[in-house]
Amino acid sequence: MRHLPAPSLSFLCDMELTVEGAHLPGKTPIGNRRIIRVTGGSLKGDRLTAEVIPGGDDWITVREDGTIIQDVRILLKTDDGELIMMSYRGIRTGEPEVLQRLDNNEEVDPDEYYFRTVPIFETASAKYDWLNRRMFVSIGIRLPGKVNYSIYIVD
């Protein structure tokens, strides 16, 4: 069997999301659920600059070990007026005491936990159509009242 080379990554943009406190619906058959409203934010990069339209949500499942599975949907408006839908699934995990500090809204060194997502973009814009046809990955950091990501194109 042929071994293919690992794909490379190229920087797309940095993203900052501002968020509300979690709504806690409780334990369901899937796990403990949290819903976090995205109240705004921005993306900044050479190929993509946009504002986050308030109203998106992060539907979180908290596993028994404290690992968080994200399911996020937001709407972006580019600096030139185009609309882009963005969704991503992600995982945030670490040692129990680190996850507790994050849950307490403390600032925690990102080297102490694993936080990755896989964004998908969808748009009707001809200018940004290339976003419809690429894969992306990101690394994240949770900060008090917000979340920051660096998003990369998988080349």
Coordinates of all heavy atoms in Angstrom, one line a residue, residues 68-142:
I68 N -15.4 17.9 26.0 CA -16.5 18.6 25.4 C -16.5 18.4 23.9 O -15.4 18.5 23.3 CB -16.4 20.1 25.7 CG1 -16.7 20.4 27.1 CG2 -17.2 21.0 24.7 CD1 -16.6 21.9 27.6
I69 N -17.6 18.1 23.3 CA -17.8 17.9 21.9 C -18.7 19.1 21.5 O -19.8 19.3 22.0 CB -18.5 16.6 21.5 CG1 -17.8 15.4 22.1 CG2 -18.7 16.5 20.0 CD1 -16.3 15.3 21.5
Q70 N -18.1 19.9 20.6 CA -18.8 21.1 20.1 C -19.6 20.9 18.8 O -19.1 20.1 18.0 CB -17.8 22.3 19.8 CG -17.1 22.8 21.0 CD -16.1 23.8 20.5 OE1 -15.1 23.5 19.9 NE2 -16.4 25.1 20.7
D71 N -20.7 21.6 18.6 CA -21.5 21.6 17.4 C -21.9 23.1 17.2 O -22.9 23.5 17.9 CB -22.6 20.7 17.5 CG -23.4 20.6 16.2 OD1 -23.1 21.2 15.2 OD2 -24.4 19.8 16.2
V72 N -21.2 23.8 16.4 CA -21.4 25.3 16.3 C -21.9 25.7 14.9 O -21.4 25.2 13.9 CB -20.0 26.0 16.6 CG1 -20.2 27.5 16.5 CG2 -19.5 25.6 18.0
R73 N -22.8 26.7 14.9 CA -23.2 27.3 13.7 C -23.3 28.8 13.9 O -24.0 29.2 14.8 CB -24.6 26.7 13.3 CG -24.5 25.3 12.8 CD -25.9 24.7 12.6 NE -25.8 23.4 12.0 CZ -25.3 22.3 12.6 NH1 -24.8 22.4 13.8 NH2 -25.3 21.1 12.0
I74 N -22.6 29.5 13.0 CA -22.6 30.9 13.0 C -22.7 31.5 11.6 O -22.5 30.8 10.6 CB -21.3 31.5 13.7 CG1 -20.1 31.0 13.0 CG2 -21.3 31.2 15.2 CD1 -18.8 31.6 13.6
L75 N -23.1 32.8 11.5 CA -23.2 33.4 10.2 C -22.2 34.6 10.2 O -22.1 35.4 11.1 CB -24.6 34.0 10.0 CG -24.9 34.7 8.7 CD1 -24.7 33.8 7.5 CD2 -26.4 35.2 8.7
L76 N -21.5 34.7 9.1 CA -20.5 35.7 8.9 C -20.9 36.7 7.8 O -21.5 36.3 6.9 CB -19.1 35.1 8.5 CG -18.7 33.9 9.2 CD1 -17.4 33.3 8.6 CD2 -18.4 34.2 10.7
K77 N -20.5 38.0 8.0 CA -20.7 39.0 7.0 C -19.3 39.6 6.7 O -18.7 40.1 7.6 CB -21.6 40.1 7.4 CG -21.9 41.1 6.3 CD -23.0 42.1 6.7 CE -23.3 43.0 5.5 NZ -24.4 43.9 5.9
T78 N -18.8 39.4 5.5 CA -17.4 39.8 5.1 C -17.4 41.3 5.1 O -18.4 42.0 5.0 CB -17.0 39.2 3.8 OG1 -17.8 39.7 2.8 CG2 -17.0 37.7 3.8
D79 N -16.1 41.8 5.1 CA -15.9 43.3 5.0 C -16.4 43.9 3.7 O -16.6 45.1 3.6 CB -14.5 43.6 5.3 CG -13.5 43.0 4.3 OD1 -13.9 42.1 3.6 OD2 -12.3 43.4 4.3
D80 N -16.7 43.0 2.7 CA -17.2 43.5 1.4 C -18.7 43.1 1.2 O -19.2 43.1 0.1 CB -16.4 43.1 0.2 CG -16.1 41.6 0.2 OD1 -16.5 40.9 1.1 OD2 -15.4 41.1 -0.7
G81 N -19.3 42.7 2.4 CA -20.8 42.5 2.4 C -21.3 41.2 2.0 O -22.5 41.0 1.9
E82 N -20.5 40.2 1.8 CA -20.9 38.8 1.5 C -21.3 38.0 2.7 O -20.7 38.2 3.8 CB -19.8 38.1 0.7 CG -19.4 38.8 -0.6 CD -20.5 38.7 -1.7 OE1 -21.4 37.9 -1.6 OE2 -20.3 39.5 -2.7
L83 N -22.2 37.1 2.6 CA -22.6 36.3 3.7 C -22.0 34.9 3.6 O -22.0 34.3 2.5 CB -24.2 36.2 3.8 CG -24.9 37.4 4.2 CD1 -26.4 37.2 4.1 CD2 -24.5 37.9 5.5
I84 N -21.5 34.3 4.7 CA -20.9 33.0 4.7 C -21.4 32.3 5.9 O -21.3 32.8 7.0 CB -19.4 33.1 4.7 CG1 -18.8 33.8 3.5 CG2 -18.8 31.7 4.9 CD1 -17.3 34.2 3.6
M85 N -22.0 31.1 5.7 CA -22.4 30.2 6.8 C -21.1 29.4 7.3 O -20.4 29.0 6.4 CB -23.5 29.3 6.4 CG -24.8 30.0 6.1 SD -26.0 28.9 5.4 CE -25.4 28.8 3.7
M86 N -20.9 29.3 8.6 CA -19.8 28.6 9.1 C -20.3 27.6 10.2 O -21.1 28.0 11.0 CB -18.8 29.5 9.7 CG -17.6 28.8 10.3 SD -16.4 30.0 11.0 CE -15.1 29.0 11.6
S87 N -19.9 26.4 10.1 CA -20.2 25.4 11.1 C -19.0 24.7 11.5 O -18.0 24.6 10.6 CB -21.3 24.4 10.7 OG -20.9 23.7 9.6
Y88 N -18.9 24.2 12.7 CA -17.7 23.4 13.0 C -18.1 22.5 14.2 O -18.9 22.7 15.0 CB -16.5 24.2 13.3 CG -16.5 25.2 14.4 CD1 -16.2 24.9 15.7 CD2 -16.9 26.5 14.1 CE1 -16.2 25.9 16.7 CE2 -16.9 27.5 15.1 CZ -16.6 27.1 16.4 OH -16.6 28.1 17.4
R89 N -17.4 21.3 14.1 CA -17.4 20.4 15.2 C -16.0 20.4 15.8 O -15.0 20.6 15.1 CB -17.8 19.0 14.7 CG -19.2 19.0 14.2 CD -20.0 17.8 14.3 NE -19.7 16.7 15.2 CZ -20.4 16.4 16.3 NH1 -21.4 17.2 16.7 NH2 -20.1 15.4 17.0
G90 N -16.0 20.2 17.1 CA -14.7 20.3 17.8 C -14.6 19.4 19.0 O -15.7 18.9 19.5
I91 N -13.5 19.4 19.6 CA -13.2 18.6 20.8 C -12.3 19.4 21.7 O -11.3 20.0 21.2 CB -12.7 17.2 20.5 CG1 -12.6 16.4 21.8 CG2 -11.3 17.3 19.8 CD1 -12.4 14.9 21.5
R92 N -12.7 19.5 23.0 CA -11.8 20.2 24.0 C -11.7 19.2 25.1 O -12.7 18.8 25.7 CB -12.4 21.5 24.4 CG -11.4 22.3 25.3 CD -12.0 23.6 25.8 NE -12.9 23.4 26.9 CZ -13.9 24.2 27.3 NH1 -14.2 25.3 26.6 NH2 -14.6 23.9 28.3
T93 N -10.5 18.8 25.5 CA -10.3 17.9 26.6 C -9.0 18.1 27.3 O -8.1 18.9 26.8 CB -10.3 16.4 26.0 OG1 -10.4 15.5 27.1 CG2 -9.1 16.1 25.1
G94 N -8.9 17.6 28.5 CA -7.7 17.7 29.3 C -7.8 17.0 30.6 O -8.8 16.3 30.8
E95 N -6.9 17.3 31.5 CA -7.0 16.7 32.8 C -8.2 17.3 33.5 O -8.6 18.5 33.3 CB -5.7 17.0 33.6 CG -4.5 16.3 33.1 CD -4.6 14.8 33.1 OE1 -5.2 14.2 34.1 OE2 -4.2 14.1 32.1
P96 N -8.9 16.5 34.4 CA -10.1 17.0 35.1 C -9.9 18.4 35.8 O -10.8 19.2 35.7 CB -10.4 15.9 36.1 CG -9.8 14.7 35.5 CD -8.6 15.1 34.8
E97 N -8.8 18.6 36.5 CA -8.6 19.9 37.1 C -8.5 21.1 36.1 O -8.9 22.2 36.4 CB -7.5 19.9 38.1 CG -6.1 19.7 37.5 CD -5.4 21.0 37.2 OE1 -5.8 22.0 37.7 OE2 -4.5 21.0 36.3
V98 N -7.9 20.8 35.0 CA -7.8 21.8 33.9 C -9.2 22.1 33.4 O -9.5 23.3 33.2 CB -6.8 21.4 32.8 CG1 -6.8 22.3 31.6 CG2 -5.4 21.2 33.4
L99 N -10.0 21.1 33.1 CA -11.3 21.3 32.6 C -12.2 22.0 33.6 O -13.0 22.9 33.2 CB -11.9 20.0 32.2 CG -11.2 19.2 31.1 CD1 -11.9 17.9 30.8 CD2 -11.1 20.0 29.8
Q100 N -12.0 21.8 34.9 CA -12.7 22.5 35.9 C -12.4 24.0 35.9 O -13.3 24.8 36.0 CB -12.5 21.9 37.3 CG -13.3 22.5 38.4 CD -14.8 22.4 38.1 OE1 -15.3 21.2 37.9 NE2 -15.5 23.5 38.0
R101 N -11.1 24.3 35.7 CA -10.7 25.7 35.7 C -11.3 26.4 34.5 O -11.7 27.5 34.5 CB -9.2 25.8 35.6 CG -8.6 25.4 37.0 CD -7.0 25.3 37.1 NE -6.3 26.2 36.2 CZ -5.2 25.8 35.5 NH1 -4.8 24.6 35.6 NH2 -4.5 26.7 34.8
L102 N -11.4 25.7 33.3 CA -12.0 26.3 32.1 C -13.5 26.5 32.4 O -14.1 27.5 32.1 CB -11.8 25.4 30.9 CG -10.4 25.3 30.4 CD1 -10.3 24.1 29.4 CD2 -10.0 26.6 29.7
D103 N -14.2 25.5 33.1 CA -15.6 25.7 33.4 C -15.8 26.8 34.4 O -16.9 27.4 34.4 CB -16.1 24.4 34.0 CG -16.4 23.3 33.0 OD1 -16.4 23.6 31.7 OD2 -16.6 22.1 33.4
N104 N -14.8 27.1 35.2 CA -14.9 28.2 36.1 C -14.6 29.6 35.4 O -14.5 30.6 36.1 CB -14.0 28.1 37.3 CG -14.4 26.9 38.2 OD1 -15.5 26.5 38.2 ND2 -13.4 26.4 39.0
N105 N -14.4 29.6 34.1 CA -14.2 30.8 33.3 C -12.8 31.4 33.7 O -12.6 32.6 33.6 CB -15.3 31.8 33.5 CG -15.5 32.6 32.2 OD1 -15.2 32.1 31.1 ND2 -16.1 33.7 32.3
E106 N -11.9 30.5 34.1 CA -10.5 31.0 34.3 C -9.7 31.0 33.1 O -10.0 30.2 32.2 CB -9.8 30.1 35.4 CG -10.5 30.1 36.7 CD -9.9 29.1 37.7 OE1 -8.7 28.8 37.5 OE2 -10.6 28.7 38.6
E107 N -8.7 31.8 33.0 CA -7.7 31.8 31.9 C -6.8 30.6 32.1 O -6.1 30.6 33.2 CB -7.0 33.1 31.7 CG -6.3 33.2 30.4 CD -5.9 34.6 30.0 OE1 -6.6 35.6 30.5 OE2 -4.9 34.8 29.3
V108 N -6.6 29.7 31.2 CA -5.8 28.5 31.3 C -4.8 28.5 30.1 O -5.3 28.7 29.0 CB -6.6 27.3 31.4 CG1 -5.8 26.0 31.4 CG2 -7.6 27.3 32.5
D109 N -3.6 28.2 30.4 CA -2.6 28.1 29.3 C -3.0 27.0 28.3 O -3.4 25.9 28.7 CB -1.2 27.7 29.9 CG -0.1 27.6 28.9 OD1 -0.3 27.3 27.7 OD2 1.0 27.9 29.3
P110 N -3.1 27.4 27.0 CA -3.6 26.4 26.0 C -2.8 25.2 25.9 O -3.2 24.1 25.3 CB -3.6 27.2 24.7 CG -2.7 28.3 24.9 CD -2.8 28.6 26.4
D111 N -1.5 25.2 26.4 CA -0.7 24.0 26.3 C -1.2 22.9 27.3 O -0.7 21.8 27.3 CB 0.8 24.3 26.6 CG 1.4 25.1 25.5 OD1 1.0 25.0 24.3 OD2 2.4 25.8 25.8
E112 N -2.1 23.3 28.2 CA -2.6 22.4 29.3 C -3.8 21.6 28.8 O -4.2 20.7 29.5 CB -3.0 23.2 30.5 CG -1.8 23.8 31.2 CD -2.2 24.5 32.5 OE1 -2.7 23.7 33.4 OE2 -2.0 25.7 32.7
Y113 N -4.3 21.9 27.6 CA -5.5 21.1 27.1 C -5.5 21.1 25.6 O -4.7 21.8 25.0 CB -6.8 21.7 27.7 CG -7.0 23.2 27.3 CD1 -7.9 23.5 26.2 CD2 -6.5 24.2 28.0 CE1 -8.1 24.9 25.9 CE2 -6.7 25.6 27.7 CZ -7.5 25.9 26.7 OH -7.7 27.2 26.3
Y114 N -6.3 20.2 25.1 CA -6.4 19.9 23.7 C -7.7 20.5 23.2 O -8.8 20.2 23.7 CB -6.4 18.4 23.4 CG -6.4 18.0 21.9 CD1 -5.3 17.9 21.2 CD2 -7.6 17.7 21.3 CE1 -5.3 17.5 19.9 CE2 -7.7 17.4 20.0 CZ -6.5 17.3 19.3 OH -6.6 16.9 18.0
F115 N -7.6 21.4 22.2 CA -8.8 22.1 21.7 C -8.7 22.3 20.2 O -7.9 23.2 19.7 CB -8.9 23.5 22.4 CG -10.2 24.2 22.2 CD1 -11.3 23.7 21.5 CD2 -10.3 25.5 22.7 CE1 -12.4 24.4 21.3 CE2 -11.5 26.2 22.6 CZ -12.6 25.7 21.8
R116 N -9.4 21.5 19.4 CA -9.3 21.5 17.9 C -10.7 21.5 17.3 O -11.6 20.9 17.9 CB -8.5 20.3 17.4 CG -7.1 20.1 18.0 CD -6.2 21.2 17.5 NE -4.8 20.9 17.9 CZ -4.2 21.3 19.1 NH1 -5.0 21.9 20.0 NH2 -3.0 21.0 19.4
T117 N -10.9 22.1 16.2 CA -12.1 22.1 15.5 C -11.9 21.8 14.0 O -10.8 22.0 13.5 CB -13.0 23.4 15.6 OG1 -12.4 24.4 14.9 CG2 -13.1 23.8 17.1
V118 N -13.0 21.5 13.3 CA -13.0 21.3 11.9 C -14.1 22.1 11.2 O -15.2 21.7 11.1 CB -13.2 19.8 11.5 CG1 -13.1 19.6 10.0 CG2 -12.2 18.9 12.2
P119 N -13.7 23.4 10.8 CA -14.7 24.3 10.3 C -15.1 23.9 8.8 O -14.3 23.3 8.1 CB -14.0 25.6 10.2 CG -12.8 25.5 11.1 CD -12.5 24.1 11.1
I120 N -16.4 24.2 8.5 CA -16.9 24.0 7.2 C -17.6 25.4 6.8 O -18.4 25.9 7.6 CB -17.9 22.9 7.1 CG1 -17.2 21.6 7.4 CG2 -18.6 22.9 5.7 CD1 -18.2 20.4 7.5
F121 N -17.2 25.9 5.7 CA -17.8 27.1 5.2 C -18.8 26.8 4.1 O -18.5 25.9 3.2 CB -16.7 28.1 4.7 CG -15.8 28.6 5.8 CD1 -14.6 27.9 6.0 CD2 -16.1 29.7 6.6 CE1 -13.7 28.3 7.0 CE2 -15.2 30.1 7.6 CZ -14.0 29.4 7.8
E122 N -19.9 27.6 4.0 CA -20.8 27.5 2.9 C -21.3 28.9 2.5 O -21.7 29.7 3.4 CB -22.0 26.7 3.4 CG -23.0 26.4 2.3 CD -24.2 25.6 2.8 OE1 -24.1 25.0 3.9 OE2 -25.2 25.5 2.1
T123 N -21.2 29.2 1.2 CA -21.6 30.5 0.7 C -22.1 30.4 -0.7 O -21.7 29.6 -1.5 CB -20.4 31.5 0.8 OG1 -20.9 32.8 0.5 CG2 -19.3 31.1 0.0
A124 N -23.0 31.4 -1.1 CA -23.4 31.6 -2.4 C -22.6 32.6 -3.2 O -22.7 32.7 -4.4 CB -24.9 32.0 -2.5
S125 N -21.6 33.2 -2.5 CA -20.8 34.2 -3.1 C -19.8 33.6 -4.1 O -19.0 32.7 -3.7 CB -20.0 34.9 -1.9 OG -19.0 35.7 -2.5
A126 N -19.7 34.2 -5.3 CA -18.7 33.8 -6.3 C -17.3 34.1 -5.8 O -16.4 33.3 -6.0 CB -19.0 34.4 -7.6
K127 N -17.2 35.2 -5.1 CA -15.8 35.6 -4.7 C -15.3 34.6 -3.6 O -14.1 34.4 -3.6 CB -15.9 37.0 -4.1 CG -14.5 37.5 -3.5 CD -14.6 38.9 -3.0 CE -13.2 39.3 -2.5 NZ -13.2 40.7 -2.0
Y128 N -16.1 34.1 -2.8 CA -15.7 33.2 -1.7 C -16.0 31.8 -1.9 O -15.9 30.9 -1.0 CB -16.2 33.7 -0.3 CG -15.7 35.1 0.0 CD1 -16.4 36.2 -0.2 CD2 -14.4 35.2 0.6 CE1 -15.9 37.5 0.2 CE2 -13.9 36.4 0.9 CZ -14.7 37.6 0.7 OH -14.2 38.8 1.0
D129 N -16.4 31.4 -3.2 CA -16.7 30.1 -3.5 C -15.6 29.1 -3.2 O -15.9 27.9 -2.8 CB -17.1 30.0 -5.0 CG -17.4 28.5 -5.4 OD1 -18.4 28.0 -4.9 OD2 -16.7 28.0 -6.2
W130 N -14.4 29.5 -3.2 CA -13.3 28.6 -2.9 C -13.4 28.0 -1.5 O -12.9 26.9 -1.2 CB -11.9 29.3 -3.1 CG -11.7 30.5 -2.2 CD1 -12.1 31.8 -2.5 CD2 -11.1 30.5 -0.9 NE1 -11.8 32.6 -1.4 CE2 -11.2 31.9 -0.5 CE3 -10.6 29.6 -0.1 CZ2 -10.7 32.2 0.8 CZ3 -10.0 29.9 1.1 CH2 -10.1 31.3 1.6
L131 N -14.1 28.8 -0.6 CA -14.3 28.2 0.8 C -15.2 27.0 0.8 O -15.0 26.1 1.7 CB -14.9 29.3 1.7 CG -14.1 30.5 2.1 CD1 -15.0 31.6 2.6 CD2 -13.0 30.1 3.0
N132 N -16.1 26.9 -0.2 CA -17.0 25.7 -0.3 C -16.2 24.5 -0.7 O -16.7 23.4 -0.5 CB -18.0 26.0 -1.4 CG -19.0 27.1 -1.0 OD1 -19.5 27.2 0.1 ND2 -19.3 27.9 -2.0
R133 N -15.0 24.6 -1.2 CA -14.3 23.5 -1.8 C -12.9 23.2 -1.1 O -12.0 22.6 -1.7 CB -14.0 23.8 -3.3 CG -15.4 23.9 -4.0 CD -15.2 24.2 -5.5 NE -15.0 25.6 -5.7 CZ -13.8 26.1 -6.2 NH1 -12.8 25.3 -6.4 NH2 -13.6 27.4 -6.3
R134 N -12.8 23.6 0.2 CA -11.6 23.3 0.9 C -11.9 22.7 2.3 O -13.0 22.9 2.8 CB -10.8 24.6 1.1 CG -10.2 25.2 -0.1 CD -9.1 24.2 -0.7 NE -8.5 24.8 -1.9 CZ -8.9 24.5 -3.2 NH1 -10.0 23.8 -3.4 NH2 -8.3 25.0 -4.2
M135 N -10.9 22.0 2.9 CA -11.0 21.5 4.2 C -10.2 22.5 5.1 O -9.2 23.1 4.7 CB -10.4 20.1 4.4 CG -11.1 19.1 3.6 SD -12.5 18.3 4.4 CE -12.0 17.9 5.9
F136 N -10.7 22.6 6.4 CA -10.0 23.5 7.3 C -9.9 22.8 8.7 O -10.7 21.9 9.0 CB -10.9 24.8 7.5 CG -11.1 25.5 6.2 CD1 -12.2 25.2 5.4 CD2 -10.3 26.5 5.8 CE1 -12.4 25.8 4.2 CE2 -10.5 27.2 4.6 CZ -11.6 26.8 3.8
V137 N -8.9 23.2 9.4 CA -8.8 22.8 10.8 C -8.4 24.0 11.6 O -7.9 25.0 11.1 CB -7.7 21.7 11.0 CG1 -8.1 20.4 10.3 CG2 -6.3 22.2 10.6
S138 N -8.7 24.0 12.9 CA -8.3 25.1 13.8 C -7.8 24.6 15.1 O -8.1 23.5 15.5 CB -9.5 26.1 14.0 OG -10.4 25.6 14.9
I139 N -7.1 25.5 15.8 CA -6.7 25.3 17.2 C -7.3 26.4 18.0 O -7.4 27.6 17.5 CB -5.2 25.3 17.3 CG1 -4.8 24.9 18.7 CG2 -4.5 26.5 16.8 CD1 -3.3 24.6 18.9
G140 N -7.8 26.1 19.2 CA -8.6 27.1 19.9 C -8.0 27.3 21.3 O -7.2 26.5 21.9
I141 N -8.5 28.4 21.9 CA -8.2 28.8 23.3 C -9.4 29.4 23.9 O -10.1 30.2 23.3 CB -7.0 29.7 23.4 CG1 -6.7 30.0 24.9 CG2 -7.1 31.0 22.6 CD1 -5.4 30.8 25.1
R142 N -9.8 28.9 25.1 CA -10.9 29.4 25.8 C -10.5 30.5 26.8 O -9.5 30.3 27.5 CB -11.6 28.3 26.6 CG -12.8 28.7 27.4 CD -14.0 29.0 26.5 NE -15.2 29.1 27.2 CZ -15.7 30.3 27.6 NH1 -15.1 31.4 27.4 NH2 -16.9 30.3 28.3

